[in-house]
Coordinates of all heavy atoms in Angstrom, one line a residue:
A7 N 131.0 155.8 -76.3 CA 130.3 155.2 -75.2 C 129.2 156.1 -74.6 O 128.2 155.6 -74.1 CB 131.3 154.8 -74.0
V8 N 129.4 157.4 -74.8 CA 128.4 158.4 -74.3 C 127.5 158.9 -75.4 O 126.7 159.8 -75.2 CB 129.0 159.5 -73.5 CG1 129.7 159.0 -72.3 CG2 130.0 160.3 -74.4
G9 N 127.8 158.5 -76.7 CA 126.9 158.9 -77.8 C 127.4 160.2 -78.5 O 126.6 160.7 -79.2
R10 N 128.5 160.6 -78.2 CA 129.0 161.9 -78.8 C 129.5 161.6 -80.2 O 130.1 160.6 -80.5 CB 130.2 162.4 -77.9 CG 130.7 163.8 -78.4 CD 131.6 164.3 -77.3 NE 132.1 165.6 -77.8 CZ 133.1 166.3 -77.2 NH1 133.7 165.7 -76.2 NH2 133.4 167.4 -77.7
D11 N 129.2 162.5 -81.1 CA 129.6 162.4 -82.5 C 131.2 162.6 -82.6 O 131.6 163.7 -82.3 CB 128.9 163.4 -83.4 CG 129.3 163.3 -84.8 OD1 130.1 162.4 -85.2 OD2 128.7 164.1 -85.6
Y12 N 131.9 161.7 -83.0 CA 133.4 161.8 -83.0 C 133.8 162.9 -83.9 O 134.8 163.6 -83.6 CB 134.0 160.5 -83.5 CG 135.5 160.5 -83.6 CD1 136.2 160.3 -82.4 CD2 136.2 160.8 -84.7 CE1 137.6 160.4 -82.4 CE2 137.6 160.8 -84.8 CZ 138.3 160.6 -83.6 OH 139.7 160.7 -83.6
D13 N 133.1 163.2 -85.0 CA 133.5 164.3 -85.9 C 133.4 165.7 -85.3 O 133.9 166.6 -85.8 CB 132.7 164.2 -87.2 CG 133.1 163.0 -88.0 OD1 134.3 162.5 -87.9 OD2 132.3 162.4 -88.7
E14 N 132.6 165.8 -84.2 CA 132.5 167.1 -83.5 C 133.6 167.3 -82.5 O 133.7 168.5 -82.0 CB 131.1 167.2 -82.8 CG 130.0 167.2 -83.8 CD 128.6 167.3 -83.1 OE1 128.6 167.4 -81.9 OE2 127.6 167.3 -83.8
I15 N 134.4 166.3 -82.2 CA 135.5 166.5 -81.2 C 136.6 167.2 -81.8 O 137.1 166.8 -82.9 CB 135.9 165.1 -80.7 CG1 134.7 164.4 -80.0 CG2 137.1 165.2 -79.7 CD1 135.0 163.0 -79.6
K16 N 137.1 168.3 -81.2 CA 138.3 169.0 -81.7 C 139.5 168.4 -81.0 O 139.6 168.2 -79.8 CB 138.2 170.5 -81.3 CG 137.0 171.2 -81.9 CD 137.1 171.2 -83.4 CE 135.9 171.9 -84.0 NZ 135.9 171.8 -85.4
I17 N 140.5 168.0 -81.8 CA 141.7 167.4 -81.4 C 142.8 168.4 -81.2 O 143.1 169.2 -82.2 CB 142.1 166.3 -82.3 CG1 141.0 165.2 -82.4 CG2 143.4 165.6 -81.9 CD1 141.1 164.2 -83.5
A18 N 143.4 168.4 -80.1 CA 144.5 169.4 -79.8 C 145.8 168.6 -79.5 O 145.8 167.5 -79.0 CB 144.2 170.3 -78.7
Y19 N 146.9 169.2 -79.8 CA 148.2 168.6 -79.6 C 149.2 169.7 -79.0 O 149.3 170.8 -79.6 CB 148.8 168.1 -80.9 CG 150.1 167.4 -80.8 CD1 150.3 166.2 -80.1 CD2 151.2 167.9 -81.5 CE1 151.5 165.6 -80.0 CE2 152.5 167.2 -81.4 CZ 152.6 166.1 -80.6 OH 153.8 165.4 -80.6
S20 N 149.8 169.4 -77.9 CA 150.7 170.3 -77.3 C 152.1 169.8 -77.5 O 152.4 168.6 -77.4 CB 150.4 170.3 -75.7 OG 151.3 171.2 -75.1
L21 N 153.0 170.7 -77.8 CA 154.4 170.3 -78.2 C 155.4 171.4 -77.8 O 155.2 172.6 -78.0 CB 154.5 170.2 -79.7 CG 155.8 169.8 -80.3 CD1 156.2 168.4 -80.0 CD2 155.7 169.9 -81.9
R22 N 156.4 170.9 -77.1 CA 157.5 171.8 -76.7 C 158.4 172.0 -77.9 O 158.8 171.0 -78.5 CB 158.3 171.2 -75.5 CG 159.4 172.1 -75.0 CD 160.1 171.5 -73.8 NE 159.1 171.1 -72.7 CZ 158.8 172.0 -71.7 NH1 159.3 173.2 -71.7 NH2 157.9 171.6 -70.8
V23 N 158.8 173.2 -78.2 CA 159.5 173.5 -79.5 C 160.8 174.1 -79.2 O 160.9 175.2 -78.6 CB 158.7 174.4 -80.4 CG1 159.5 174.8 -81.7 CG2 157.3 173.8 -80.8
H24 N 161.9 173.4 -79.6 CA 163.3 174.0 -79.5 C 163.7 174.3 -80.9 O 164.0 173.4 -81.7 CB 164.2 173.0 -78.9 CG 163.8 172.6 -77.5 ND1 164.2 173.3 -76.4 CD2 163.0 171.6 -77.0 CE1 163.7 172.8 -75.3 NE2 163.0 171.8 -75.6
L25 N 163.6 175.5 -81.3 CA 163.8 175.9 -82.7 C 165.1 176.7 -82.9 O 165.5 177.5 -82.1 CB 162.6 176.8 -83.1 CG 162.2 176.9 -84.5 CD1 161.8 175.5 -85.0 CD2 161.0 177.8 -84.7
G26 N 165.7 176.5 -84.1 CA 166.9 177.2 -84.4 C 166.9 177.4 -85.9 O 166.1 176.8 -86.7
K27 N 167.8 178.3 -86.4 CA 167.9 178.5 -87.8 C 168.4 177.3 -88.6 O 168.1 177.1 -89.7 CB 168.8 179.7 -88.1 CG 168.3 181.0 -87.7 CD 169.2 182.1 -87.9 CE 168.7 183.4 -87.4 NZ 169.6 184.5 -87.5
T28 N 169.1 176.4 -87.8 CA 169.6 175.1 -88.4 C 169.3 174.1 -87.4 O 169.1 174.4 -86.2 CB 171.1 175.2 -88.7 OG1 171.8 175.4 -87.4 CG2 171.5 176.3 -89.6
Q29 N 169.5 172.8 -87.8 CA 169.3 171.7 -86.8 C 170.3 171.8 -85.7 O 170.0 171.6 -84.6 CB 169.4 170.4 -87.6 CG 169.2 169.1 -86.7 CD 167.8 169.0 -86.2 OE1 166.8 169.3 -86.9 NE2 167.7 168.4 -85.0
A30 N 171.6 172.1 -86.1 CA 172.6 172.2 -85.1 C 172.3 173.3 -84.1 O 172.5 173.1 -82.9 CB 174.0 172.4 -85.8
E31 N 171.8 174.4 -84.5 CA 171.5 175.5 -83.6 C 170.4 175.1 -82.7 O 170.4 175.4 -81.5 CB 171.1 176.7 -84.4 CG 170.9 177.9 -83.6 CD 170.5 179.2 -84.4 OE1 171.4 179.6 -85.2 OE2 169.4 179.7 -84.3
A32 N 169.4 174.4 -83.2 CA 168.3 173.9 -82.4 C 168.8 172.9 -81.3 O 168.3 173.0 -80.2 CB 167.2 173.3 -83.2
E33 N 169.6 172.0 -81.7 CA 170.2 171.0 -80.8 C 171.0 171.7 -79.6 O 171.0 171.2 -78.5 CB 171.0 170.0 -81.5 CG 170.2 169.1 -82.4 CD 171.0 168.1 -83.2 OE1 172.2 168.1 -83.1 OE2 170.3 167.4 -84.0
Q34 N 171.6 172.8 -79.9 CA 172.4 173.5 -78.9 C 171.4 174.0 -77.8 O 171.8 174.1 -76.6 CB 173.1 174.7 -79.5 CG 174.3 174.3 -80.3 CD 175.0 175.5 -80.9 OE1 174.5 176.6 -81.0 NE2 176.3 175.2 -81.3
T35 N 170.2 174.3 -78.1 CA 169.2 174.8 -77.1 C 168.8 173.8 -76.1 O 168.3 174.1 -75.0 CB 167.9 175.4 -77.7 OG1 167.2 174.3 -78.3 CG2 168.3 176.5 -78.8
V36 N 169.1 172.5 -76.4 CA 168.8 171.4 -75.5 C 170.1 170.7 -75.1 O 170.1 169.5 -74.7 CB 167.8 170.4 -76.1 CG1 166.4 171.0 -76.2 CG2 168.2 169.8 -77.4
G37 N 171.2 171.4 -75.2 CA 172.5 170.8 -74.8 C 173.0 169.8 -75.7 O 173.8 168.9 -75.4
G38 N 172.6 169.9 -77.0 CA 173.1 169.0 -78.0 C 172.4 167.6 -78.2 O 172.6 166.9 -79.0
Q39 N 171.4 167.4 -77.2 CA 170.7 166.1 -77.3 C 169.2 166.3 -77.1 O 168.8 167.0 -76.2 CB 171.2 165.1 -76.2 CG 172.7 164.8 -76.3 CD 173.1 163.8 -75.3 OE1 172.3 163.1 -74.7 NE2 174.4 163.7 -75.0
P40 N 168.4 165.7 -78.0 CA 167.0 165.8 -77.8 C 166.6 165.2 -76.4 O 167.2 164.3 -75.9 CB 166.4 164.9 -78.9 CG 167.5 164.8 -79.9 CD 168.8 164.9 -79.1
M41 N 165.5 165.7 -75.9 CA 165.0 165.3 -74.6 C 164.3 164.0 -74.7 O 163.4 163.8 -75.6 CB 164.1 166.4 -74.0 CG 164.8 167.7 -73.9 SD 163.6 169.0 -73.7 CE 163.9 169.4 -72.0
R42 N 164.5 163.0 -73.9 CA 163.9 161.7 -74.0 C 162.6 161.6 -73.3 O 161.7 160.9 -73.7 CB 164.9 160.6 -73.5 CG 166.1 160.5 -74.3 CD 167.1 159.5 -73.7 NE 168.3 159.5 -74.4 CZ 168.9 158.4 -74.8 NH1 168.4 157.2 -74.5 NH2 170.0 158.5 -75.5
D43 N 162.5 162.2 -72.1 CA 161.3 162.1 -71.3 C 160.2 163.1 -71.7 O 159.1 163.0 -71.2 CB 161.6 162.3 -69.8 CG 162.5 161.2 -69.3 OD1 162.6 160.2 -69.9 OD2 163.2 161.5 -68.3
D44 N 160.5 164.0 -72.6 CA 159.6 165.1 -72.9 C 159.4 165.1 -74.4 O 160.4 165.3 -75.2 CB 160.2 166.4 -72.5 CG 159.4 167.6 -72.8 OD1 158.2 167.4 -73.0 OD2 159.9 168.7 -72.8
P45 N 158.2 164.9 -74.9 CA 158.0 164.9 -76.3 C 158.2 166.3 -76.9 O 157.4 167.2 -76.6 CB 156.5 164.4 -76.5 CG 155.9 164.7 -75.2 CD 156.9 164.7 -74.2
S46 N 159.3 166.5 -77.5 CA 159.7 167.8 -78.0 C 160.0 167.7 -79.4 O 160.4 166.7 -80.0 CB 160.9 168.3 -77.2 OG 160.7 168.5 -75.9
F47 N 160.0 168.9 -80.1 CA 160.5 169.0 -81.4 C 161.8 169.8 -81.3 O 161.8 170.9 -80.7 CB 159.5 169.8 -82.4 CG 160.0 170.0 -83.7 CD1 159.9 169.1 -84.7 CD2 160.8 171.2 -84.0 CE1 160.5 169.2 -85.9 CE2 161.3 171.4 -85.2 CZ 161.2 170.4 -86.2
V48 N 162.8 169.3 -82.0 CA 164.1 170.0 -82.0 C 164.5 170.1 -83.5 O 164.8 169.1 -84.1 CB 165.2 169.2 -81.2 CG1 166.5 170.0 -81.3 CG2 164.7 169.0 -79.8
G49 N 164.5 171.3 -84.0 CA 164.9 171.5 -85.4 C 164.7 172.9 -85.9 O 164.6 173.8 -85.2
E50 N 164.6 173.0 -87.2 CA 164.5 174.3 -87.9 C 163.0 174.5 -88.3 O 162.2 173.5 -88.4 CB 165.4 174.3 -89.1 CG 165.2 173.2 -90.1 CD 166.3 173.2 -91.2 OE1 166.3 174.1 -92.0 OE2 167.0 172.2 -91.2
P51 N 162.7 175.7 -88.6 CA 161.3 176.1 -88.9 C 160.6 175.3 -90.0 O 159.5 174.8 -89.8 CB 161.3 177.6 -89.3 CG 162.5 178.1 -88.6 CD 163.5 176.9 -88.6
A52 N 161.3 175.1 -91.1 CA 160.7 174.3 -92.2 C 160.3 172.9 -91.8 O 159.3 172.3 -92.2 CB 161.6 174.3 -93.5
A53 N 161.2 172.3 -91.0 CA 161.0 170.9 -90.5 C 159.8 170.9 -89.6 O 159.0 169.9 -89.5 CB 162.2 170.3 -89.9
L54 N 159.7 171.9 -88.8 CA 158.5 172.0 -87.8 C 157.2 172.1 -88.6 O 156.2 171.5 -88.2 CB 158.7 173.2 -86.9 CG 157.5 173.5 -85.9 CD1 157.3 172.2 -85.0 CD2 157.8 174.7 -85.1
V55 N 157.2 172.9 -89.6 CA 156.0 173.1 -90.4 C 155.6 171.7 -91.0 O 154.4 171.3 -91.0 CB 156.1 174.1 -91.5 CG1 155.0 174.1 -92.5 CG2 156.3 175.5 -90.9
E56 N 156.5 171.0 -91.6 CA 156.3 169.6 -92.1 C 155.7 168.7 -91.0 O 154.8 168.0 -91.3 CB 157.5 169.0 -92.7 CG 157.9 169.7 -94.0 CD 159.2 169.1 -94.6 OE1 159.5 167.9 -94.3 OE2 159.9 169.8 -95.4
Y57 N 156.3 168.8 -89.9 CA 155.9 167.9 -88.7 C 154.5 168.2 -88.3 O 153.7 167.3 -88.2 CB 156.9 168.2 -87.6 CG 156.7 167.4 -86.3 CD1 157.1 166.0 -86.3 CD2 156.0 167.9 -85.2 CE1 156.9 165.3 -85.1 CE2 155.8 167.1 -84.1 CZ 156.3 165.8 -84.1 OH 156.1 165.1 -82.9
L58 N 154.1 169.5 -88.2 CA 152.8 169.9 -87.9 C 151.8 169.5 -89.0 O 150.6 169.1 -88.7 CB 152.7 171.4 -87.5 CG 153.6 171.8 -86.3 CD1 153.5 173.3 -86.2 CD2 153.1 171.1 -85.1
Q59 N 152.2 169.6 -90.2 CA 151.3 169.3 -91.3 C 150.9 167.8 -91.3 O 149.8 167.4 -91.6 CB 151.9 169.6 -92.6 CG 151.9 171.1 -92.9 CD 152.6 171.5 -94.2 OE1 153.5 170.8 -94.7 NE2 152.3 172.6 -94.8
E60 N 151.8 167.0 -90.9 CA 151.5 165.5 -90.7 C 150.4 165.3 -89.7 O 149.5 164.5 -89.9 CB 152.8 164.7 -90.3 CG 153.8 164.7 -91.4 CD 155.1 164.0 -91.0 OE1 155.1 163.3 -89.9 OE2 156.1 164.1 -91.7
F61 N 150.5 166.0 -88.6 CA 149.4 165.9 -87.6 C 148.1 166.5 -88.1 O 147.0 165.9 -87.8 CB 149.9 166.6 -86.3 CG 150.8 165.7 -85.5 CD1 152.2 165.8 -85.6 CD2 150.3 164.8 -84.6 CE1 153.0 165.0 -84.9 CE2 151.2 164.0 -83.8 CZ 152.5 164.1 -84.0
A62 N 148.2 167.6 -88.8 CA 147.0 168.2 -89.3 C 146.3 167.2 -90.3 O 145.1 167.1 -90.3 CB 147.3 169.5 -90.0
E63 N 147.1 166.5 -91.1 CA 146.5 165.5 -92.0 C 145.8 164.4 -91.4 O 144.9 163.8 -92.0 CB 147.6 165.0 -93.0 CG 148.1 166.1 -94.0 CD 149.3 165.6 -94.7 OE1 149.7 164.4 -94.7 OE2 149.9 166.5 -95.4
I64 N 146.2 164.1 -90.1 CA 145.5 163.0 -89.5 C 144.4 163.5 -88.5 O 143.8 162.7 -87.8 CB 146.4 162.0 -88.7 CG1 147.2 162.8 -87.6 CG2 147.4 161.3 -89.6 CD1 148.0 161.9 -86.7
G65 N 144.1 164.8 -88.6 CA 142.9 165.3 -87.9 C 143.1 166.2 -86.7 O 142.2 166.6 -86.1
V66 N 144.4 166.6 -86.4 CA 144.6 167.5 -85.3 C 144.1 168.9 -85.8 O 144.4 169.4 -86.8 CB 146.1 167.6 -84.9 CG1 146.3 168.7 -83.9 CG2 146.5 166.2 -84.4
D67 N 143.3 169.5 -84.9 CA 142.7 170.8 -85.2 C 143.4 172.0 -84.6 O 143.4 173.1 -85.2 CB 141.2 170.9 -84.6 CG 140.3 169.8 -85.3 OD1 140.1 169.9 -86.5 OD2 139.9 168.9 -84.5
H68 N 144.0 171.8 -83.5 CA 144.6 172.9 -82.7 C 146.0 172.5 -82.2 O 146.2 171.3 -81.8 CB 143.8 173.4 -81.5 CG 142.4 173.8 -81.9 ND1 142.1 175.0 -82.5 CD2 141.2 173.1 -81.8 CE1 140.8 175.1 -82.7 NE2 140.3 174.0 -82.3
F69 N 147.0 173.4 -82.3 CA 148.3 173.1 -81.8 C 148.6 174.1 -80.7 O 148.4 175.3 -80.8 CB 149.4 173.3 -82.9 CG 149.2 172.2 -84.0 CD1 148.5 172.5 -85.1 CD2 149.7 171.0 -83.8 CE1 148.3 171.6 -86.1 CE2 149.6 170.0 -84.8 CZ 148.9 170.3 -86.0
Q70 N 149.2 173.6 -79.6 CA 149.7 174.5 -78.5 C 151.2 174.3 -78.6 O 151.7 173.3 -78.2 CB 149.1 174.1 -77.2 CG 149.7 175.0 -76.1 CD 149.2 174.5 -74.7 OE1 148.6 173.5 -74.5 NE2 149.6 175.3 -73.7
L71 N 151.9 175.3 -79.0 CA 153.4 175.3 -79.1 C 153.9 176.0 -77.9 O 153.6 177.1 -77.6 CB 153.8 175.9 -80.4 CG 153.3 175.3 -81.7 CD1 153.9 176.0 -82.9 CD2 153.5 173.8 -81.8
V72 N 154.8 175.3 -77.2 CA 155.5 175.8 -76.0 C 156.9 176.1 -76.4 O 157.7 175.2 -76.8 CB 155.4 174.8 -74.8 CG1 156.1 175.3 -73.6 CG2 153.9 174.5 -74.5
F73 N 157.3 177.3 -76.2 CA 158.7 177.8 -76.5 C 159.4 178.0 -75.2 O 159.1 179.0 -74.5 CB 158.7 179.0 -77.4 CG 158.1 178.8 -78.8 CD1 156.8 178.9 -79.0 CD2 159.0 178.5 -79.8 CE1 156.3 178.8 -80.3 CE2 158.5 178.3 -81.1 CZ 157.1 178.4 -81.3
P74 N 160.2 177.0 -74.7 CA 160.7 177.0 -73.4 C 161.7 178.2 -73.1 O 162.0 178.4 -71.9 CB 161.5 175.7 -73.3 CG 161.7 175.2 -74.6 CD 160.6 175.9 -75.5
R75 N 162.1 178.9 -74.1 CA 163.0 180.1 -73.8 C 162.3 181.4 -73.5 O 162.9 182.4 -73.2 CB 164.0 180.3 -74.9 CG 165.0 179.1 -75.1 CD 166.1 179.4 -76.1 NE 165.5 179.4 -77.4 CZ 166.2 179.6 -78.5 NH1 167.5 179.9 -78.4 NH2 165.7 179.5 -79.7
F76 N 160.9 181.3 -73.4 CA 160.1 182.4 -73.1 C 160.5 182.9 -71.7 O 160.8 182.1 -70.8 CB 158.6 182.0 -73.1 CG 157.7 183.2 -72.9 CD1 157.4 184.0 -73.9 CD2 157.2 183.5 -71.6 CE1 156.6 185.1 -73.7 CE2 156.4 184.5 -71.4 CZ 156.0 185.4 -72.4
P77 N 160.7 184.2 -71.5 CA 160.1 185.3 -72.2 C 160.9 185.8 -73.4 O 160.5 186.7 -74.1 CB 160.0 186.4 -71.2 CG 161.1 186.2 -70.2 CD 161.3 184.7 -70.2
A78 N 162.1 185.2 -73.7 CA 162.8 185.5 -75.0 C 161.9 185.1 -76.1 O 161.2 184.0 -76.0 CB 164.1 184.8 -75.0
T79 N 161.8 185.9 -77.2 CA 160.9 185.5 -78.3 C 161.5 185.3 -79.6 O 160.9 185.1 -80.6 CB 159.8 186.7 -78.4 OG1 160.5 187.9 -78.8 CG2 159.0 186.9 -77.2
D80 N 162.9 185.2 -79.6 CA 163.6 185.0 -80.9 C 163.1 183.7 -81.6 O 163.0 183.7 -82.8 CB 165.1 185.1 -80.7 CG 165.6 184.1 -79.7 OD1 164.9 183.9 -78.7 OD2 166.7 183.6 -79.9
D81 N 162.9 182.6 -80.9 CA 162.5 181.4 -81.5 C 161.1 181.5 -82.0 O 160.8 181.0 -83.1 CB 162.7 180.2 -80.6 CG 162.1 180.4 -79.2 OD1 161.6 181.5 -78.9 OD2 162.2 179.4 -78.4
M82 N 160.2 182.2 -81.3 CA 158.8 182.3 -81.8 C 158.8 183.2 -83.0 O 158.1 182.9 -84.0 CB 157.9 183.0 -80.7 CG 157.6 182.1 -79.6 SD 156.5 182.9 -78.4 CE 157.7 183.5 -77.2
E83 N 159.6 184.3 -83.0 CA 159.7 185.1 -84.2 C 160.3 184.4 -85.4 O 159.8 184.6 -86.5 CB 160.5 186.3 -83.9 CG 159.9 187.3 -82.9 CD 160.8 188.4 -82.4 OE1 161.8 188.7 -83.1 OE2 160.5 188.9 -81.3
L84 N 161.2 183.5 -85.2 CA 161.8 182.7 -86.2 C 160.7 181.8 -86.9 O 160.6 181.7 -88.1 CB 162.9 181.8 -85.7 CG 163.6 180.9 -86.7 CD1 164.3 181.7 -87.8 CD2 164.7 180.0 -85.9
F85 N 159.8 181.2 -86.0 CA 158.7 180.4 -86.5 C 157.8 181.2 -87.3 O 157.3 180.8 -88.4 CB 158.1 179.7 -85.3 CG 156.9 178.8 -85.8 CD1 157.1 177.7 -86.6 CD2 155.6 179.2 -85.4 CE1 156.0 176.9 -87.0 CE2 154.5 178.4 -85.8 CZ 154.7 177.3 -86.6
V86 N 157.4 182.3 -86.8 CA 156.4 183.2 -87.5 C 157.0 183.6 -88.9 O 156.2 183.6 -89.9 CB 156.1 184.4 -86.7 CG1 155.2 185.4 -87.5 CG2 155.3 184.0 -85.4
R87 N 158.2 184.0 -89.0 CA 158.8 184.4 -90.3 C 158.9 183.2 -91.2 O 158.7 183.3 -92.4 CB 160.2 184.9 -90.1 CG 160.2 186.3 -89.5 CD 161.6 187.0 -89.6 NE 162.6 186.2 -88.9 CZ 163.0 186.4 -87.6 NH1 162.4 187.4 -86.9 NH2 163.9 185.7 -87.0

């Protein structure tokens, strides 16, 4: 409507991440049940990578991952490894 080139728009996606070495471990971080009101990812690192790749394939340029256990960094370190 304002004449902006759509291809120049950078698309970002923010996601709360509850990560564990296994699915069961990740579910324990949210009390065993995924959050309904909050779009969150609950799972293991490989599944998170696949999930993010699907968004990248449809054009998401930037991801803001929120690790709710911060300042603890074990889940972030797990993702990086």
Side-chain angles (χ1 to χ4, degrees):
V8 296
R10 188 168 177 192
D11 182 1
Y12 182 80
D13 292 331
E14 291 181 5
I15 298 172
K16 299 296 180 192
I17 301 171
Y19 182 62
S20 181
L21 180 67
R22 185 177 304 272
V23 176
H24 299 273
L25 207 58
K27 292 178 184 174
T28 65
Q29 181 68 33
E31 185 179 297
E33 289 175 5
Q34 287 178 343
T35 69
V36 292
Q39 296 185 23
M41 303 162 111
R42 294 177 186 226
D43 296 339
D44 179 20
S46 297
F47 175 87
V48 180
E50 56 187 292
L54 176 58
V55 170
E56 287 180 25
Y57 183 78
L58 296 176
Q59 284 175 336
E60 290 176 13
F61 281 91
E63 288 173 9
I64 62 171
V66 173
D67 298 295
H68 302 283
F69 296 94
Q70 178 184 8
L71 303 181
V72 178
F73 293 87
R75 293 188 287 178
F76 184 81
T79 60
D80 54 327
D81 49 359
M82 287 184 266
E83 292 172 21
L84 180 61
F85 178 65
V86 170
R87 283 192 301 270

